[in-house]
Amino acid sequence: MATDPRLARDHRRISTPSNPPPPPPPQDAQSQQRPPSRHNGVDGNSNPANQSRDDGGFKLKFCTVCASNQNRSMEAHLRLSLASYPVISFGTGSLVRLPGPSITQPNVYPFNSTSYDTMYTELNGKDPRLYRANGLLTMLERNRSVKFGPERWQDWAIGKPRLEHRDDRGSVGVEGGVVDVVITCEERCWDAVVDNLVEREGKLNRPVHVINVDIKDNHEEALVGGKAILELADMLNATAREERDKSGGEWRNGASDGGGSSFDDRVPDVLSDWQEKWPTLPALWTLAWF
């Protein structure tokens, strides 16, 4: 199902487009005010990603995805936003699941309507010592400084303006509801995203690169994975900028003019070069369609 950039750079699976899922439910609760922004990762240290980059002002648009839109995707979302990339994030699970007092007692919340602040308040009220020790409170403190709450990929109305998310970190540039690159953090999430894009039938006729960076779901690995994803984003952005400059500064639908495939053709090579630097984070890639 997957294309391994180290073994088969030229093979792609291009999605064959069906009907999109219904849009997410109204999110009136998003009017709740988030706490003041924090520029830290889950470890509490300042993120160096906000250092200036020689990108000529050109930025690809990114989307990060994990199971619950809590740990891995949110660490990557924060790092990309601090580097001034337009970015949104989602989860692919049916519900948001966080560890509880035992493996059989998880904390479960619905997507799209429950804020990170609500989760923080609830867990802090239940057992602050436990949830501080296992890192959940620190994680939620980071998350609520980034956006309102976890969103579900399958409920995303692709191409619909995201005006209610204007206060999210990284929202500038993705108001139109489309991105150039989707980066998932687990193979089952990659499968879910690709399968869902096939079901949506590519009605916008817009190419999107779907990449998986396999990251273990713990706070330490999320920090490492976030750094690796930011480096991959920088490499992809530099390549896209080169192709844009070759075509006279034009960029449309994530591909350069003059055939629209130069950047698309180079992505597997970029990913292969990145994989050599990050051999412990297995990667997959495919070209799909919005």
Side-chain angles (χ1 to χ4, degrees), residues 137-149:
L137 293 181
T138 303
M139 180 187 75
L140 290 167
E141 285 174 344
R142 175 201 62 198
N143 293 354
R144 64 182 183 173
S145 77
V146 175
K147 64 176 190 174
F148 171 81

Side-chain angles (χ1 to χ4, degrees), residues 3 25-26 73 81 84 97 113 115 117 129 154 180 188 212 219 221 226 244 259 261 268 271:
T3 300
S73 64
S81 68
S84 299
R97 291 178 170 83
S113 59
S115 70
D117 194 53
R129 192 170 176 182
Q154 293 87 339
D180 303 306
R188 64 170 176 159
N212 184 65
H219 304 306
E221 292 297 327
R244 182 203 61 163
S261 63
L271 190 55

